[in-house]
Each structure stands twice: as C-alpha cells, then as structure tokens.
Amino acid sequence: EVQLVESGGDLVQPGGSLTLSCAVSGFTFRSHWMSWVRQAPGKGLEWVASIRPDGSARYYVDSVRGRFTISRDNTENSLFLQMKDLGAEDTAVYYCARLMGWTTIYDYWGRGTLVTVSS
Amino acid sequence: AIRMTQSPSSFSASTGDRVTITCRASEDIGRSLAWYQQKGGEAPKLLIYDASTLESGVPSKFSGSGSGTDFALTVSSLQSEDFASYYCQQYSAYPVTFGGGTKVEIK
C-alpha cells in the first residue's frame, strides 16, 4: 500500500524557518518525481515545488523560489521541504504528493501537515 | 500562469442526483486535465486524468469530458461518500495550476 506521511508542521513566527518531512512507503521512491502542494485555509490547492527522482533537478513556484528548498533522501525514502523567511502567506496545509510516471499528475497524496505563520 | 476557474464554487444536491462540475482554462490545454476529490481532513484523491481517463479503482459513476478550455466532471448518481470537494488541475504548462474547488454538500 502506498503511503505518504508528512510531519514537521508547526506555528512559526514571521521571518522564521521550518523543515517539513515526508516519509514514504509502498513504492520505489527513487523512481518517482515528487512534489509539495499546499492549501491555504479555505483556499484551493497550489503547487509549491517538485524534484526529479535522482534529485538532480528542482522546480519552484515563483512565490517561494529562493526561500524554499526541496530535497530528498532516496536511501531513507524521504522527501523534505526547507522553508525560510516565512510570511503569513505561507500559512497552509502542506501535502507531499507523488507524480505519476514522468507526468505532472499527482496519483498519491499524504494527509498534509499544517504550517501556521503568525506572531 | 494558466488560470483554472471552476463553477459553481459550491452547491447542494441529493443522494441519487446526477451532478456536473465545470472547469475552464484561461488558455488551450488540450486534454491535460485531472480531477481530484478531497474529503474533509483527508488527502486529495486522483479521480480522472487526461480529461476523461478514469484512475484505477475509481468507480465508473465518475466521468470526465472536454478539451481545449472547457471541461466537466460528472457524477452519475451521488452517494453519501461523494459529498466532498472537487478540484481540477491543468498540467499542460508549468506551473501546474488548480481550480479553486467545488464543494458538493448534502441538500
């Protein structure tokens, strides 16, 4: 059974930093593109970042580029999102999601972890 | 970025109803469209991709149609487990973008 479990969400002050983790199981992690997608309270879904299976290429939405870093550890079947210079606009539930093959279709998602940026 | 507009944003329906949700893209995306279902507090679930291909394990009561800029998700007969939010997503161009969602509530 495919499972993605996010962790690391917390209440953080504006300007602060946080690292999210996603532990995966049930599939060959090193063979899949992975992404982070977020959902602000009461809002729709927003793609945040994606990473190639071997970690050699990373892509970001403009609003987080330079502040967020996506990474992965294929030996530990884990995906990460390092976030810095956080602002209120980053408050959201962050989902870890697997991409279907070499498409940008998300075929499996975690339940998400909540990041709240507030003083 | 391509803007995805869903309508309606929410509506009420009864068990057994046939319902249709629409999604419009701000430019031609061919058939590069997916639909997801999300129930409160749960992970989104892929229902349909390539506009009309049913994901494995998804009941055939769900169907998708459309191409270019106009798309639709239809549920042929609503059941209790189908009351949820639904999102469309285009993957024709980076960045991938999602619609604002449609919440289907019980009448």
Side-chain angles (χ1 to χ4, degrees), chain A residues 36-114:
Chain A
W36 289 96
V37 177
R38 66 185 178 183
Q39 185 172 33
K43 302 294 185 181
L45 299 163
E46 179 186 35
W47 167 73
V48 174
S50 296
I51 186 167
R52 280 181 63 117
D54 62 1
S56 62
R58 312 171 193 205
Y59 302 91
Y60 302 92
V61 69
D62 285 349
S63 59
V64 309
R65 188 175 294 113
R67 300 188 299 120
F68 289 13
T69 302
I70 188 172
S71 61
R72 63 192 297 159
D73 183 339
N74 286 346
T75 64
E76 295 290 333
N77 290 344
S78 294
L79 180 72
F80 305 99
L81 186 67
Q82 295 174 275
M83 305 182 293
K84 66 179 182 180
D85 297 328
L86 287 162
E89 69 277 9
D90 299 312
T91 294
V93 175
Y94 285 73
Y95 297 98
C96 165
R98 188 184 88 165
L99 280 74
M100 178 191 293
W102 287 78
T103 73
T104 40
I105 301 164
Y106 301 101
D107 61 355
Y108 286 96
W109 300 63
R111 285 178 169 262
T113 187
L114 176 62

Side-chain angles (χ1 to χ4, degrees), chain B residues 18-30:
Chain B
R18 176 184 178 90
V19 300
T20 297
I21 297 167
T22 63
C23 177
R24 174 165 288 177
S26 61
E27 59 186 83
D28 191 334
I29 60 170

Side-chain angles (χ1 to χ4, degrees), chain B residues 5-63:
Chain B
T5 304
Q6 285 182 237
S7 60
S9 57
S10 67
F11 67 96
S12 299
S14 300
T15 302
D17 284 353
R18 176 184 178 90
V19 300
T20 297
I21 297 167
T22 63
C23 177
R24 174 165 288 177
S26 61
E27 59 186 83
D28 191 334
I29 60 170
R31 293 179 62 80
S32 299
L33 185 102
W35 288 97
Y36 301 87
Q37 177 193 63
Q38 185 180 33
K39 299 179 185 178
E42 296 186 9
K45 175 185 175 183
L46 175 65
L47 298 176
I48 286 168
Y49 60 94
D50 291 346
S52 62
T53 301
L54 208 61
E55 168 70 339
S56 176
V58 174
S60 59
K61 61 183 172 180
F62 292 97
S63 63

